[in-house]
Amino acid sequence: MTSERPTTLLAELTHRCPLHCPYCSNPLDLLRADREISTDDWKRTISQARELGVLQLGLSGGEPLIRKDLEELAAHARRLGLYSTLVTSGLGLTRKRAEALKEAGLEHIQISVQDSDTTSAERIAGTSSVKQKRAAIAIVRELGFAFSINVVLHRGNLDRIGEIIDLAASLGADRLELANTQYYGWGLKNRATLMPTREQVTRAKGIAEEAMRRHKGRMQIIFVLPDYFEDRPKACYGGWGRFYIVVGPDGSALPCHGAYALPNLTLPNVRDHSIDWIWHESPAFQAFRGNAWMKEPCVSCPMQAATFAGCRCQALALTGDATNPDPVCTLSPHRHLIDEAVADNAAPLTYEYRDFVIEPQGA
Amino acid sequence: MSLTADSIPRLWRLARLDYDPARQRPVLLYPEGAVLLNDTGKAILELVDGCRSVADIAAILGERYGTDVSADVTEYLSRLETRELIQ
């Protein structure tokens, strides 16, 4: 049991997406449309999450606009008092749908931008998309939505961070999330291609911090240093099963979007169980709560309460054991794996695009 | 502190005040975040309308509570200003 209540439900409505970004946070084993749960399943899930204490709803994917019931789900969430964010590529956000979402009471739209340079942006997305994104952004602004731009940063665009910030300001973003690539799933597959140099990261940090001051009061800028370049791990999702519930397209419930990859973790499904049971009782949400599962040096570490030993998915992906300390930590016996990955940054910019490919098991 | 008695605070366009029935607390909601409020915080934020100054808000609450709350109001709003929730 936990006394804490979740704050955020991330609803990954679908894995279908017109883009093929090589750092996609969806699992390698993408689910097709026939595995997606129904509108009623989602409405029940959202209601139960709200009863449990969820305040924020992320309507995400894949591309959530592919779901025809998006407006109905947004309206349902608004009636319950949730603050909802549509996390979208912008592709498919026609005026008609944007107006319907406004009518439904959706408050916040976050549109991804891949780069300030069109050629590079479309190479990253793996498809022509910039023109459609600009059109969607104009509609979002015109209808008065709260509007964020999200940019995933990596070696191929980090040198243009200044131009990217200028572009976001000129597009009228209320908020700009500059998110350095996280190396799970697709991102890990493309790590050597995405990995920035230390010089790039240092320069980008300086530019971002200066821009934060310059745009204060007009555009909020969020810049998070990539964890590979830190000495201590980040508290992934604020700690396992403490704030977040992620529900995938097929109704699987996870404490973080990377947890699909964890072995021996039986994911509860919203078609079989209530959100209350999933949060309080399911073995998956209990698995890494507290510190009973931790190893040294985490068990006796004074930072344990702030980092929760870091990310389980990263520990698994890089060390082969999800209960190991996150190898980002310089106290981890596996830190050399991070240092080696940081040094491995010379691969040509040819991405392995996200797509519906069946991965061999264990690959 | 960046806010003074003469500053006219307004809530970030992306934030709204609401009530959280599960925790039975007032709450300030904004993209990707929330601040659970106590009754004092709620009383202050309800008076933030983009017209009243910090001094006006402090005067109204001072009268309501029968004590000088100027420093508390300025400090509270400044803290939210640092987080860009108040502008």
Side-chain angles (χ1 to χ4, degrees):
Chain A
M1 289 290 286
T2 172
S3 59
E4 311 215 37
R5 293 175 176 277
T7 58
T8 305
L9 171 65
L10 187 64
E12 290 183 338
L13 300 177
T14 180
H15 283 159
R16 292 176 286 160
C17 185
L19 304 192
H20 305 280
C21 306
Y23 41 70
C24 181
S25 62
N26 288 161
L28 295 174
D29 194 4
L30 296 165
L31 299 171
R32 292 176 188 276
D34 60 1
R35 299 284 305 279
E36 291 175 12
I37 59 174
S38 70
T39 306
D40 285 342
D41 287 332
W42 278 116
K43 285 165 89 169
R44 185 184 66 250
T45 298
I46 294 167
S47 296
Q48 290 176 352
R50 177 62 172 166
E51 278 169 36
L52 192 58
V54 163
L55 301 164
Q56 296 272 346
L57 172 65
L59 293 162
S60 180
E63 175 47 68
L65 284 159
I66 288 175
R67 288 278 301 210
K68 299 284 179 270
D69 54 2
L70 180 63
E71 292 84 344
E72 187 176 346
L73 299 179
H76 182 71
R78 189 68 184 88
R79 273 195 296 276
L80 297 170
L82 285 156
Y83 193 111
S84 299
T85 296
L86 172 63
V87 182
T88 175
S89 67
L91 272 66
L93 190 60
T94 58
R95 174 174 300 274
K96 197 175 159 202
R97 291 207 77 184
E99 283 172 353
L101 286 164
K102 190 77 189 169
E103 179 71 25
L106 178 75
E107 289 170 271
H108 177 217
I109 297 184
Q110 176 182 301
I111 296 185
S112 64
V113 163
Q114 278 64 31
D115 200 335
S116 55
D117 177 84
T118 299
T119 307
S120 170
E122 300 195 335
R123 190 170 63 228
I124 294 161
T127 185
S128 163
S129 52
V130 170
K131 206 174 152 190
Q132 296 166 75
K133 281 170 181 280
R134 296 296 158 81
I137 287 169
I139 293 167
V140 165
R141 292 268 294 140
E142 189 192 318
L143 296 181
F145 286 101
F147 167 46
S148 293
I149 287 178
N150 175 281
V151 186
V152 175
L153 300 172
H154 46 83
R155 178 149 43 92
N157 65 9
L158 204 51
D159 288 335
R160 280 183 295 278
I161 189 169
E163 289 89 333
I164 289 169
I165 293 168
D166 291 346
L167 173 66
S170 74
L171 293 173
D174 297 300
R175 196 168 160 278
L176 171 62
E177 270 184 32
L178 298 166
N180 281 284
T181 303
Q182 298 193 305
Y183 301 107
Y184 310 106
W186 295 99
L188 187 56
K189 216 176 173 51
N190 283 287
R191 188 173 65 182
T193 312
L194 297 166
M195 184 63 67
T197 66
R198 196 168 285 279
E199 294 69 33
Q200 278 186 307
V201 171
T202 306
R203 177 178 171 274
K205 181 169 180 277
I207 292 173
E209 285 171 351
E210 186 279 322
M212 278 177 209
R213 290 189 290 274
R214 188 155 39 90
H215 290 283
K216 189 163 187 274
R218 289 186 301 279
M219 178 171 77
Q220 187 182 75
I221 300 176
I222 294 124
F223 176 84
V224 181
L225 211 60
D227 64 349
Y228 275 46
F229 293 83
E230 300 251 50
D231 293 339
R232 294 288 174 267
K234 54 183 171 7
C236 203
Y237 276 66
W240 186 271
R242 291 187 72 226
F243 302 110
Y244 282 84
I245 303 172
V246 180
V247 176
D250 64 347
S252 300
L254 315 79
C256 82
H257 67 253
Y260 289 105
L262 294 177
N264 312 323
L265 196 70
T266 308
L267 298 177
N269 194 291
V270 298
R271 284 173 307 180
D272 308 322
H273 298 285
S274 70
I275 290 289
D276 190 280
W277 183 88
I278 287 168
W279 183 255
H280 289 296
E281 309 288 344
S282 73
F285 276 72
Q286 310 250 35
F288 301 109
R289 273 194 185 127
N291 59 7
W293 57 272
M294 283 182 197
K295 294 181 180 175
E296 288 293 2
C298 301
V299 179
S300 53
C301 179
M303 286 191 72
Q304 186 200 100
T307 65
F308 301 94
C311 173
R312 296 308 88 223
C313 306
Q314 189 143 281
L316 172 77
L318 300 190
T319 76
D321 182 347
T323 65
N324 276 334
D326 187 329
V328 156
C329 186
T330 52
L331 301 172
S332 154
H334 296 100
R335 170 69 199 198
H336 64 95
L337 296 171
I338 298 290
D339 294 328
E340 286 157 22
V342 166
D344 182 13
N345 58 15
L349 296 185
T350 45
Y351 302 118
E352 192 164 338
Y353 291 110
R354 172 211 130 108
D355 213 337
F356 286 86
V357 176
I358 305 301
E359 293 292 320
Q361 286 301 308
Chain B
M1 252 183 269
S2 43
L3 288 181
T4 65
D6 296 331
S7 305
I8 297 177
R10 67 185 163 84
L11 205 55
W12 187 28
R13 196 176 81 79
L14 277 58
R16 73 171 156 85
L17 274 176
D18 209 326
Y19 180 77
D20 171 16
R23 296 172 186 78
Q24 305 192 329
R25 291 268 294 274
V27 63
L28 184 64
L29 295 172
Y30 53 93
E32 322 274 329
V35 181
L36 286 173
L37 305 172
N38 56 25
D39 289 338
T40 315
K42 174 171 175 264
I44 295 172
L45 290 178
E46 277 176 343
L47 293 170
V48 170
D49 62 359
C51 300
R52 295 188 183 96
S53 69
V54 173
D56 294 337
I57 294 167
I60 294 169
L61 292 176
E63 192 159 322
R64 191 182 300 169
Y65 299 128
T67 177
D68 182 7
V69 295
S70 307
D72 293 337
V73 169
T74 310
E75 201 246 309
Y76 187 82
L77 290 173
S78 293
R79 246 188 305 138
L80 292 179
E81 197 260 353
T82 309
R83 297 173 65 177
E84 299 186 63
L85 294 168
I86 285 286
Q87 294 176 341

